PDB file of all heavy atoms in Angstrom:
ATOM      1  N   SER A 110       3.813  -0.557 -10.245  1.00  0.00           N
ATOM      2  CA  SER A 110       3.739  -0.859  -8.812  1.00  0.00           C
ATOM      3  C   SER A 110       2.837  -2.067  -8.574  1.00  0.00           C
ATOM      4  O   SER A 110       2.291  -2.643  -9.514  1.00  0.00           O
ATOM      5  CB  SER A 110       3.188   0.340  -8.035  1.00  0.00           C
ATOM      6  OG  SER A 110       1.775   0.419  -8.203  1.00  0.00           O
ATOM      7  N   HIS A 111       2.648  -2.385  -7.276  1.00  0.00           N
ATOM      8  CA  HIS A 111       1.764  -3.489  -6.875  1.00  0.00           C
ATOM      9  C   HIS A 111       0.290  -3.153  -7.076  1.00  0.00           C
ATOM     10  O   HIS A 111      -0.562  -4.025  -7.000  1.00  0.00           O
ATOM     11  CB  HIS A 111       1.999  -3.777  -5.390  1.00  0.00           C
ATOM     12  CG  HIS A 111       1.603  -2.612  -4.517  1.00  0.00           C
ATOM     13  ND1 HIS A 111       2.355  -1.455  -4.434  1.00  0.00           N
ATOM     14  CD2 HIS A 111       0.507  -2.390  -3.746  1.00  0.00           C
ATOM     15  CE1 HIS A 111       1.751  -0.593  -3.630  1.00  0.00           C
ATOM     16  NE2 HIS A 111       0.630  -1.126  -3.204  1.00  0.00           N
ATOM     17  N   LYS A 112      -0.052  -1.879  -7.261  1.00  0.00           N
ATOM     18  CA  LYS A 112      -1.456  -1.447  -7.152  1.00  0.00           C
ATOM     19  C   LYS A 112      -2.438  -2.111  -8.125  1.00  0.00           C
ATOM     20  O   LYS A 112      -3.589  -2.337  -7.759  1.00  0.00           O
ATOM     21  CB  LYS A 112      -1.534   0.074  -7.231  1.00  0.00           C
ATOM     22  CG  LYS A 112      -0.894   0.717  -5.991  1.00  0.00           C
ATOM     23  CD  LYS A 112      -1.550   2.016  -5.630  1.00  0.00           C
ATOM     24  CE  LYS A 112      -1.085   2.519  -4.276  1.00  0.00           C
ATOM     25  NZ  LYS A 112       0.294   3.037  -4.305  1.00  0.00           N
ATOM     26  N   GLN A 139       0.179   6.752  -8.238  1.00  0.00           N
ATOM     27  CA  GLN A 139       0.305   5.325  -8.549  1.00  0.00           C
ATOM     28  C   GLN A 139      -1.063   4.651  -8.588  1.00  0.00           C
ATOM     29  O   GLN A 139      -1.359   3.880  -9.497  1.00  0.00           O
ATOM     30  CB  GLN A 139       1.168   4.634  -7.488  1.00  0.00           C
ATOM     31  CG  GLN A 139       2.637   4.963  -7.578  1.00  0.00           C
ATOM     32  CD  GLN A 139       3.367   4.059  -8.545  1.00  0.00           C
ATOM     33  OE1 GLN A 139       2.767   3.411  -9.384  1.00  0.00           O
ATOM     34  NE2 GLN A 139       4.680   4.033  -8.442  1.00  0.00           N
ATOM     35  N   GLY A 228      -7.543   2.293  -2.823  1.00  0.00           N
ATOM     36  CA  GLY A 228      -6.350   1.584  -3.272  1.00  0.00           C
ATOM     37  C   GLY A 228      -5.543   0.934  -2.170  1.00  0.00           C
ATOM     38  O   GLY A 228      -4.515   0.303  -2.433  1.00  0.00           O
ATOM     39  N   SER A 229      -5.995   1.111  -0.904  1.00  0.00           N
ATOM     40  CA  SER A 229      -5.228   0.543   0.212  1.00  0.00           C
ATOM     41  C   SER A 229      -6.153   0.407   1.421  1.00  0.00           C
ATOM     42  O   SER A 229      -7.372   0.544   1.265  1.00  0.00           O
ATOM     43  CB  SER A 229      -4.038   1.457   0.520  1.00  0.00           C
ATOM     44  OG  SER A 229      -3.208   0.860   1.483  1.00  0.00           O
ATOM     45  N   CYS A 262       7.588  -1.055   3.031  1.00  0.00           N
ATOM     46  CA  CYS A 262       7.094   0.275   3.361  1.00  0.00           C
ATOM     47  C   CYS A 262       5.570   0.228   3.502  1.00  0.00           C
ATOM     48  O   CYS A 262       4.908  -0.569   2.844  1.00  0.00           O
ATOM     49  CB  CYS A 262       7.499   1.287   2.299  1.00  0.00           C
ATOM     50  SG  CYS A 262       6.775   1.002   0.666  1.00  0.00           S
ATOM     51  N   VAL A 263       5.045   1.097   4.379  1.00  0.00           N
ATOM     52  CA  VAL A 263       3.597   1.151   4.569  1.00  0.00           C
ATOM     53  C   VAL A 263       3.057   2.572   4.505  1.00  0.00           C
ATOM     54  O   VAL A 263       3.542   3.476   5.183  1.00  0.00           O
ATOM     55  CB  VAL A 263       3.161   0.512   5.918  1.00  0.00           C
ATOM     56  CG1 VAL A 263       3.280  -1.003   5.855  1.00  0.00           C
ATOM     57  CG2 VAL A 263       3.971   1.044   7.092  1.00  0.00           C
ATOM     58  N   GLY A 264       2.059   2.752   3.632  1.00  0.00           N
ATOM     59  CA  GLY A 264       1.293   3.988   3.568  1.00  0.00           C
ATOM     60  C   GLY A 264      -0.048   3.668   4.204  1.00  0.00           C
ATOM     61  O   GLY A 264      -0.311   3.971   5.364  1.00  0.00           O
ATOM     62  N   GLY A 265      -0.878   2.973   3.430  1.00  0.00           N
ATOM     63  CA  GLY A 265      -2.097   2.384   3.990  1.00  0.00           C
ATOM     64  C   GLY A 265      -1.845   0.932   4.351  1.00  0.00           C
ATOM     65  O   GLY A 265      -2.629   0.299   5.043  1.00  0.00           O
ATOM     66  N   GLY A 266      -0.725   0.382   3.837  1.00  0.00           N
ATOM     67  CA  GLY A 266      -0.277  -0.946   4.259  1.00  0.00           C
ATOM     68  C   GLY A 266      -0.520  -2.084   3.284  1.00  0.00           C
ATOM     69  O   GLY A 266      -0.230  -3.235   3.606  1.00  0.00           O
ATOM     70  N   SER A 267      -1.014  -1.804   2.060  1.00  0.00           N
ATOM     71  CA  SER A 267      -1.473  -2.930   1.228  1.00  0.00           C
ATOM     72  C   SER A 267      -0.343  -3.755   0.615  1.00  0.00           C
ATOM     73  O   SER A 267      -0.416  -4.981   0.596  1.00  0.00           O
ATOM     74  CB  SER A 267      -2.423  -2.439   0.133  1.00  0.00           C
ATOM     75  OG  SER A 267      -1.744  -1.695  -0.849  1.00  0.00           O
ATOM     76  N   ASN A 268       0.708  -3.101   0.087  1.00  0.00           N
ATOM     77  CA  ASN A 268       1.746  -3.905  -0.579  1.00  0.00           C
ATOM     78  C   ASN A 268       2.471  -4.776   0.428  1.00  0.00           C
ATOM     79  O   ASN A 268       2.739  -5.954   0.177  1.00  0.00           O
ATOM     80  CB  ASN A 268       2.721  -3.017  -1.377  1.00  0.00           C
ATOM     81  CG  ASN A 268       3.922  -2.531  -0.585  1.00  0.00           C
ATOM     82  OD1 ASN A 268       4.923  -3.221  -0.476  1.00  0.00           O
ATOM     83  ND2 ASN A 268       3.813  -1.344   0.016  1.00  0.00           N
ATOM     84  N   PHE A 269       2.769  -4.183   1.612  1.00  0.00           N
ATOM     85  CA  PHE A 269       3.546  -4.943   2.573  1.00  0.00           C
ATOM     86  C   PHE A 269       2.713  -6.062   3.198  1.00  0.00           C
ATOM     87  O   PHE A 269       3.191  -7.186   3.369  1.00  0.00           O
ATOM     88  CB  PHE A 269       4.147  -4.026   3.641  1.00  0.00           C
ATOM     89  CG  PHE A 269       5.152  -4.731   4.508  1.00  0.00           C
ATOM     90  CD1 PHE A 269       6.065  -5.619   3.948  1.00  0.00           C
ATOM     91  CD2 PHE A 269       5.190  -4.522   5.874  1.00  0.00           C
ATOM     92  CE1 PHE A 269       6.995  -6.293   4.735  1.00  0.00           C
ATOM     93  CE2 PHE A 269       6.113  -5.184   6.672  1.00  0.00           C
ATOM     94  CZ  PHE A 269       7.007  -6.074   6.102  1.00  0.00           C
ATOM     95  N   GLY A 338       2.731   8.214  -1.617  1.00  0.00           N
ATOM     96  CA  GLY A 338       1.944   7.035  -1.275  1.00  0.00           C
ATOM     97  C   GLY A 338       2.008   6.686   0.209  1.00  0.00           C
ATOM     98  O   GLY A 338       1.274   5.814   0.659  1.00  0.00           O
ATOM     99  N   LEU A 339       2.891   7.339   0.952  1.00  0.00           N
ATOM    100  CA  LEU A 339       3.004   7.037   2.386  1.00  0.00           C
ATOM    101  C   LEU A 339       2.374   8.141   3.244  1.00  0.00           C
ATOM    102  O   LEU A 339       2.434   8.095   4.466  1.00  0.00           O
ATOM    103  CB  LEU A 339       4.476   6.847   2.791  1.00  0.00           C
ATOM    104  CG  LEU A 339       5.284   5.805   2.008  1.00  0.00           C
ATOM    105  CD1 LEU A 339       6.692   5.673   2.594  1.00  0.00           C
ATOM    106  CD2 LEU A 339       4.592   4.448   1.992  1.00  0.00           C
ATOM    107  N   ALA A 383      10.849   3.652  -6.462  1.00  0.00           N
ATOM    108  CA  ALA A 383       9.965   4.746  -6.071  1.00  0.00           C
ATOM    109  C   ALA A 383      10.395   5.236  -4.681  1.00  0.00           C
ATOM    110  O   ALA A 383      11.011   4.491  -3.917  1.00  0.00           O
ATOM    111  CB  ALA A 383       8.516   4.255  -6.039  1.00  0.00           C
ATOM    112  N   GLU A 385       8.755   5.541  -2.064  1.00  0.00           N
ATOM    113  CA  GLU A 385       8.137   4.754  -0.988  1.00  0.00           C
ATOM    114  C   GLU A 385       9.023   3.564  -0.598  1.00  0.00           C
ATOM    115  O   GLU A 385       9.430   3.447   0.564  1.00  0.00           O
ATOM    116  CB  GLU A 385       6.731   4.290  -1.407  1.00  0.00           C
ATOM    117  CG  GLU A 385       5.688   5.413  -1.502  1.00  0.00           C
ATOM    118  CD  GLU A 385       5.670   6.111  -2.854  1.00  0.00           C
ATOM    119  OE1 GLU A 385       6.525   5.783  -3.702  1.00  0.00           O
ATOM    120  OE2 GLU A 385       4.827   6.994  -3.071  1.00  0.00           O
ATOM    121  N   PRO A 386       9.349   2.648  -1.532  1.00  0.00           N
ATOM    122  CA  PRO A 386      10.205   1.514  -1.127  1.00  0.00           C
ATOM    123  C   PRO A 386      11.602   1.940  -0.682  1.00  0.00           C
ATOM    124  O   PRO A 386      12.256   1.181   0.034  1.00  0.00           O
ATOM    125  CB  PRO A 386      10.255   0.621  -2.375  1.00  0.00           C
ATOM    126  CG  PRO A 386       9.794   1.457  -3.504  1.00  0.00           C
ATOM    127  CD  PRO A 386       8.850   2.470  -2.905  1.00  0.00           C
ATOM    128  N   SER A 414       7.937  -2.369  -3.749  1.00  0.00           N
ATOM    129  CA  SER A 414       6.593  -2.079  -4.272  1.00  0.00           C
ATOM    130  C   SER A 414       6.561  -1.447  -5.654  1.00  0.00           C
ATOM    131  O   SER A 414       5.512  -1.465  -6.307  1.00  0.00           O
ATOM    132  CB  SER A 414       5.846  -1.199  -3.276  1.00  0.00           C
ATOM    133  OG  SER A 414       6.615  -0.065  -2.939  1.00  0.00           O
ATOM    134  N   GLY A 415       7.690  -0.877  -6.139  1.00  0.00           N
ATOM    135  CA  GLY A 415       7.596  -0.320  -7.488  1.00  0.00           C
ATOM    136  C   GLY A 415       8.779   0.541  -7.899  1.00  0.00           C
ATOM    137  O   GLY A 415       9.600   0.924  -7.068  1.00  0.00           O
TER     138      GLY A 415
HETATM  139  C1  LIG B   1       0.933   3.389  -3.133  1.00  0.00           C
HETATM  140  C2  LIG B   1       2.284   2.915  -2.960  1.00  0.00           C
HETATM  141  C3  LIG B   1       2.773   2.547  -1.701  1.00  0.00           C
HETATM  142  C4  LIG B   1       1.986   2.706  -0.426  1.00  0.00           C
HETATM  143  O1  LIG B   1       0.757   2.049  -0.387  1.00  0.00           O
HETATM  144  P1  LIG B   1       0.530   0.732   0.469  1.00  0.00           P
HETATM  145  O2  LIG B   1      -0.941   0.524   0.439  1.00  0.00           O
HETATM  146  O3  LIG B   1       1.046   1.013   1.849  1.00  0.00           O
HETATM  147  O4  LIG B   1       1.275  -0.346  -0.197  1.00  0.00           O
HETATM  148  C5  LIG B   1       4.050   2.034  -1.621  1.00  0.00           C
HETATM  149  N1  LIG B   1       4.828   1.923  -2.699  1.00  0.00           N
HETATM  150  C6  LIG B   1       4.397   2.261  -3.938  1.00  0.00           C
HETATM  151  C7  LIG B   1       5.317   2.099  -5.103  1.00  0.00           C
HETATM  152  C8  LIG B   1       3.121   2.778  -4.103  1.00  0.00           C
HETATM  153  O5  LIG B   1       2.692   3.111  -5.312  1.00  0.00           O
END
Side-chain angles (χ1 to χ4, degrees):
S110 77
H111 64 286
K112 292 211 170 73
Q139 287 274 18
S229 187
C262 65
V263 287
S267 70
N268 90 85
F269 190 41
L339 305 184
E385 290 86 356
S414 52

